[in-house]
């Protein structure tokens, strides 16, 4: 499986993705699922994929191919419209990613169906182009997409459930990049604890608004000291928070209620 | 949807289920999903269902019908083998629940298929009969089942993911009934916070080992003072635990790293 998350904040965007892929439990590998299109001073565009790796890789390869096609010949000129590094806006970039997925679907869709496989793919796309504000999109297998806003300033793809509650509790548009990055790692810690098909190393990229360059990219390896420290600290904090909660004052069972009279009965 | 959990402990069994059902978001109702077969001094058997309510209700009605069939005539005698209140062991009780599901499948399975609906149902069955130790089972739509043991002393059905991490962190076979009940409520709080199709009121039943009667049954309504107290306490505890974690000392973004030099670089 995969877990990837993008958080759109007033201060910029935090991206993170794991690297585990598996085709059955006996075929587990490590693949980078984060692709960066950067033109310093002009644009930073980050793409993270989940689903069938053959589909998402093909779509990314298609994006690179369109990007590299020099706009010289007539054919190349029409294709140049699909160069993500020349897209005029993030909306246009999202359409280009959708077009890449549709290109893969046109080539592979029927064949996957013939083998009983779904056309299963999803992307998170975020970044900033020129004067436009940073934007974040979630792109579906059909090539259509939704955009994050103030109400829901983040997208998750892949194994989303275990890591969602902590993001819902912590992240607001005005959360700092540092706190958002920490929250993202806790979200991954929760996910990796409960689903072995999401695993280290992680790729984390922090984009600061209006910087128009990659502020910080880090591959967090297995046994990274900071990740280990917050994972252990989080475990201890959760247990302490649980223990601090009052016990129910129900007469839980006859003998327990006899030993410890209920303070309050309802 | 549904969320239900059963925890098999050295001290007994904790059962809890929500009451929300929905057939589309415009058709939301409250139904009890917990059924108790109790013969005080002899047996306590608790059944909780998830999935298609028409299937689980039919299976429970079938169990009641088998139970009530007096073993007088030849036909009734053969049916008496399927009376859960006369089952000789929890294993036999689990087989009877499986048989009830198969009876419903025989009647409804083809018709559901004709309407493109899955035969979607799952039960948690637990309790104690006579001298046998308390036992806990998860019963699948096909009528087959698995039994909880020391390694995994609990089963969840329905919306299982949001409420799983806290159970994994807290519950061991030697956990007390009181702490297990508290953990169960936190597990429900996390689930209800993230999935609106799981909702109050909750049914909680606590069975104390060898008591052979229902130790404590409680319907926890919306705005229950204890539930509200631990839900709020848990939120505060989680936030405090998060804030206590060290921030990453990465140069998160150029300007941040300039303002706050990294203490440690890797």
């Amino acid at each position: 499986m995969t877990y990837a998350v993008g958080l759109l904040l007033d201060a910029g965007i935090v991206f993170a993705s794991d690297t585990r892929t598996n085709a059955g439990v006996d075929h587990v590998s490590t693949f980078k699922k984060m692709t960066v299109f950067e033109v310093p001073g002009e644009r930073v565009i980050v793409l993270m994929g989940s689903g069938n790796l053959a589909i998402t890789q093909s779509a990314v390869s298609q994006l690179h191919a369109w990007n590299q096609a020099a706009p010289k010949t007539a054919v190349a000129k029409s294709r140049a419209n699909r160069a993500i590094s020349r897209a005029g806006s993030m909306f246009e970039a999202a359409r280009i990613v959708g077009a890449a997925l549709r290109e893969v679907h046109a080539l592979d869709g029927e064949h996957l169906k013939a083998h009983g496989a779904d056309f299963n793919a999803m992307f998170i796309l975020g970044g900033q182009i020129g004067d436009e504000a940073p934007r974040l999109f979630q792109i579906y297998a059909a090539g259509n997409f939704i955009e994050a806003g103030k109400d829901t300033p983040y997208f998750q793809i892949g194994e989303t459930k275990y890591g969602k509650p902590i993001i819902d509790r912590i992240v607001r548009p005005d959360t700092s990049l540092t706190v958002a990055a920490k929250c993202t790692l806790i979200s991954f810690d929760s996910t990796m604890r409960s689903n072995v098909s999401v695993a280290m190393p992680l790729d984390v990229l922090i984009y600061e608004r209006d910087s128009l360059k990659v502020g910080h990219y880090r591959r967090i390896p297995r046994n990274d000291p900071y990740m280990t420290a917050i994972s252990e600290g989080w475990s201890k904090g959760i247990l302490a928070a649980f223990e601090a909660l009052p016990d129910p004052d129900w007469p839980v069972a006859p003998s327990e209620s006899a030993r410890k009279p209920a303070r309050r009965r309802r």
Side-chain angles (χ1 to χ4, degrees), chain A:
Chain A
M1 204 138 171
T2 284
Y3 178 39
V5 62
L7 308 172
L8 178 66
L9 309 163
D10 298 342
I13 312 181
V14 175
F15 301 90
S17 54
D18 83 317
T19 53
R20 177 156 292 183
T21 71
N22 64 298
V25 291
D26 55 349
H27 189 177
V28 173
S29 321
T30 300
F31 281 90
K32 188 167 181 180
K33 301 169 191 173
M34 182 188 284
T35 306
V36 182
F37 300 91
E38 182 187 23
V39 182
E42 185 197 293
R43 71 185 62 213
V44 170
I45 301 173
V46 180
L47 187 65
M48 300 183 291
S50 74
N52 183 322
L53 188 67
I55 297 173
T56 55
Q57 276 196 348
S58 287
V60 170
S61 293
Q62 181 63 75
L63 290 172
H64 283 303
W66 282 338
N67 230 3
Q68 282 151 15
K72 283 177 191 163
T73 64
V75 175
K77 263 180 196 156
S78 72
R79 286 205 175 147
N81 294 333
R82 292 181 162 177
I84 202 164
S85 291
R86 294 189 284 280
S89 67
M90 284 302 297
F91 175 70
E92 205 179 311
R95 283 205 165 157
I96 289 171
V97 174
L101 275 165
R102 288 165 184 176
E103 192 87 8
V104 177
H105 186 260
L107 282 168
D108 296 349
E110 279 304 313
H111 299 280
L112 286 169
K113 196 182 278 181
H115 288 265
D118 289 333
F119 191 83
N120 172 21
M122 191 96 88
F123 280 109
I124 290 175
L125 174 78
Q128 185 172 17
I129 296 176
D131 296 334
E132 196 186 44
R135 296 171 77 175
L136 184 70
F137 298 87
Q138 177 168 338
I139 302 168
Y140 299 102
N144 57 337
F145 49 82
I146 56 176
E147 182 172 4
K150 290 277 174 192
D151 293 323
T152 300
Y154 70 89
F155 288 130
Q156 302 171 292
I157 53 175
E159 171 58 274
T160 60
K161 290 194 176 182
Y162 296 116
K164 183 173 184 290
I166 190 64
I167 296 176
D168 283 335
R169 287 183 193 270
I170 301 291
V171 176
R172 304 282 172 272
D174 63 353
T175 303
S176 76
L177 293 171
T178 305
V179 168
K182 184 170 80 168
C183 181
T184 301
L185 295 191
I186 294 297
S187 175
F188 271 85
D189 180 60
S190 301
T191 307
M192 292 186 293
R193 197 177 275 270
S194 292
N195 188 330
V196 295
S197 73
V198 177
M200 309 282 285
L202 308 180
D203 289 309
V204 178
L205 189 149
I206 298 172
Y207 173 72
E208 193 189 24
R209 185 188 172 115
D210 298 334
S211 66
L212 297 173
K213 64 178 177 179
V214 173
H216 185 71
Y217 165 74
R218 173 179 294 264
R219 169 153 290 200
I220 300 177
R222 206 174 299 274
N223 302 321
D224 175 77
Y226 177 64
M227 188 74 189
T228 304
I230 62 167
S231 175
E232 289 173 0
W234 183 238
S235 274
K236 284 179 194 156
I238 291 279
L239 292 181
F242 181 80
E243 276 164 23
L245 296 176
D247 283 342
D249 54 6
W250 314 331
V252 164
S255 60
E256 284 197 47
S257 67
R259 284 197 305 273
K260 191 170 70 176
R263 291 187 300 278
R264 173 180 47 142
R265 289 179 184 274
R266 273 174 245 129

